[in-house]
C-alpha cells in the first residue's frame, strides 16, 4: 500500500525544465597540466605537492563522479566499472563537496583521497549524497566545468522503501525503536516531502539544480532497475 501511494503521488508531480548554462567545449580528460591550473585557481592551500609513485602512477582529480542517487545502485555501478582495467576507483565515499569540514581542506585533500592511477586510466569517485546537496553542483562546476557525471536512478517509490528499510534495520540492530514507514509518509493529510527519503526521490527537483551548471550531455543517467536485471547493456551505455 505504501509503494502504491508513493508511486501515484510522485507520478502526479510534473517536472519543470530549467535552461542549463552554455556547454563548455572542453575534453572530459583532466591531464596533469590542466590539473595544476585547477589547483592554482581553486585550492585553498598553496602547499600542493604531487603524489607520484615510483611506477609512474599518481593521485589526480577524478574525471568522472558518480553523484547519486542513494539506494539507487551506486555501489554496484562502481564495482562493475572497477572491473575495467582503465578505471581507477576511490574505495570509500569521499563527501568532499557536501561536507563543509572536508571542503574547507581544499583540493589537495581531495586528491589525497583518490587512488593512484596511470595516465591512461580514468579516476572515478562516488558519493550518492552529492545529487541532493544544493551546494554541490556549483562546487563541482568551479573545480572542473567539463566534468562527466554519472547518475543512477531507480523507481522512486522503491527507492523510498529501500531507504527506509536500511535505516529501520540499523535501528533494529542497535535495539532501538523506529516508527513505521506510514508515520513518515503522510503529514497533515499530505505526502510528507520533508521526509528525507521522499525528498531524495523527487529527482526532477534536484536535477534542476544540476542543469543550472552542467548541460544534459555531461550527465549520463543509468537505469538502476535495468542494471539489476540485465547489467551488460547499461554498462555499455556508461562506457
Amino acid at each position: 500500500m505504501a509503494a502504491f501511494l508513493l508511486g501515484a503521488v510522485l507520478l502526479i508531480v510534473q517536472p519543470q525544465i530549467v535552461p542549463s548554462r552554455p556547454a563548455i567545449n572542453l575534453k572530459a580528460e583532466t591531464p596533469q597540466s590542466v590539473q595544476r591550473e585547477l589547483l592554482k585557481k581553486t585550492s585553498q592551500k598553496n602547499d600542493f605537492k604531487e603524489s607520484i609513485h615510483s611506477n609512474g602512477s599518481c593521485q589526480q582529480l577524478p574525471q568522472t563522479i558518480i553523484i547519486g542517487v542513494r539506494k539507487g545502485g551506486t555501489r554496484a555501478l562502481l564495482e562493475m566499472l572497477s572491473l575495467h582495467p582503465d578505471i581507477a576507483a576511490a574505495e570509500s565515499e569521499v563527501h568532499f563537496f557536501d561536507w563543509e569540514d572536508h571542503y574547507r581542506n581544499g583540493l589537495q585533500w581531495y586528491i589525497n583521497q583518490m587512488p593512484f592511477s596511470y595516465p591512461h586510466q580514468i579516476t572515478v569517485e562516488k558519493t550518492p549524497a552529492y545529487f541532493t546537496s544544493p551546494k554541490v553542483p556549483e562546487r563541482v562546476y568551479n573545480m572542473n566545468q567539463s566534468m562527466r557525471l554519472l547518475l543512477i536512478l531507480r523507481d522512486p517509490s522503491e527507492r523510498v522503501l529501500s531507504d527506509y528499510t536500511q535505516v529501520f534495520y540499523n535501528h533494529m540492530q542497535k535495539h532501538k525503536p523506529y516508527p513505521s514507514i506510514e508515520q513518515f509518509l503522510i503529514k497533515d493529510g499530505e505526502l510528507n516531502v520533508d521526509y528525507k527519503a521522499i525528498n531524495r526521490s523527487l529527482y526532477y527537483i534536484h536535477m534542476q539544480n544540476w542543469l543550472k551548471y552542467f548541460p544534459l550531455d555531461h550527465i549520463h543517467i543509468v537505469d538502476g532497475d535495468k542494471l539489476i536485471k540485465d547489467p551488460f547493456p547499461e554498462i555499455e551505455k556508461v562506457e
Side-chain angles (χ1 to χ4, degrees), residues 22-228:
I24 307 296
N25 187 21
L26 295 174
K27 295 182 179 180
E29 295 80 1
T30 306
Q32 293 183 19
S33 59
V34 176
Q35 176 172 292
R36 294 191 192 97
E37 291 302 315
L38 288 169
L39 285 162
K40 289 179 182 178
K41 293 179 180 179
T42 60
S43 181
Q44 298 178 28
K45 297 182 181 295
N46 297 320
D47 56 349
F48 167 65
K49 296 180 181 179
E50 288 183 319
S51 299
I52 302 176
H53 195 275
S54 58
N55 62 9
S57 64
C58 68
Q59 291 173 298
Q60 59 181 330
L61 292 169
Q63 295 94 342
T64 299
I65 300 177
I66 300 175
I67 59 175
V69 62
R70 173 182 162 95
K71 307 308 295 178
T74 57
R75 172 53 60 180
L77 176 60
L78 186 68
E79 293 295 336
M80 292 178 188
L81 291 177
S82 297
L83 297 174
H84 199 290
D86 289 345
I87 296 292
E91 294 183 1
S92 59
E93 295 177 5
V94 182
H95 286 282
F96 175 64
F97 297 101
D98 63 321
W99 288 4
E100 297 302 322
D101 289 345
H102 287 177
Y103 192 67
R104 282 195 293 266
N105 290 330
L107 287 180
Q108 176 64 73
W109 181 91
Y110 186 44
I111 289 177
N112 291 343
Q113 314 310 309
M114 295 300 116
F116 279 84
S117 60
Y118 293 99
H120 70 278
Q121 290 183 307
I122 296 174
T123 298
V124 181
E125 78 114 326
K126 76 119 179 153
T127 302
Y130 286 166
F131 181 61
T132 57
S133 300
K135 295 182 180 180
V136 171
E138 183 177 10
R139 289 177 172 180
V140 175
Y141 179 86
N142 289 337
M143 181 190 72
N144 183 3
Q145 299 172 8
S146 64
M147 181 66 70
R148 292 303 196 263
L149 306 167
L150 289 172
L151 173 63
I152 179 167
L153 303 176
R154 59 187 294 201
D155 180 279
S157 57
E158 292 290 337
R159 201 220 62 80
V160 170
L161 295 177
S162 180
D163 199 325
Y164 169 83
T165 301
Q166 182 182 47
V167 179
F168 173 79
Y169 277 107
N170 286 341
H171 279 71
M172 292 291 289
Q173 289 177 350
K174 298 176 182 178
H175 305 287
K176 295 181 179 180
Y178 198 66
S180 67
I181 189 171
E182 286 79 9
Q183 291 178 261
F184 288 109
L185 294 181
I186 304 298
K187 182 179 181 181
D188 299 327
E190 297 181 353
L191 188 69
N192 182 17
V193 294
D194 292 328
Y195 173 40
K196 289 184 179 180
I198 290 181
N199 187 271
R200 294 186 186 111
S201 279
L202 299 177
Y203 302 145
Y204 77 93
I205 292 178
H206 307 295
M207 192 66 167
Q208 288 179 88
N209 196 24
W210 283 93
L211 291 176
K212 293 176 183 177
Y213 298 94
F214 292 95
L216 192 56
D217 60 5
H218 280 218
I219 307 173
H220 178 71
I221 299 176
V222 181
D223 189 322
D225 298 309
K226 289 183 178 179
L227 186 70
I228 295 173

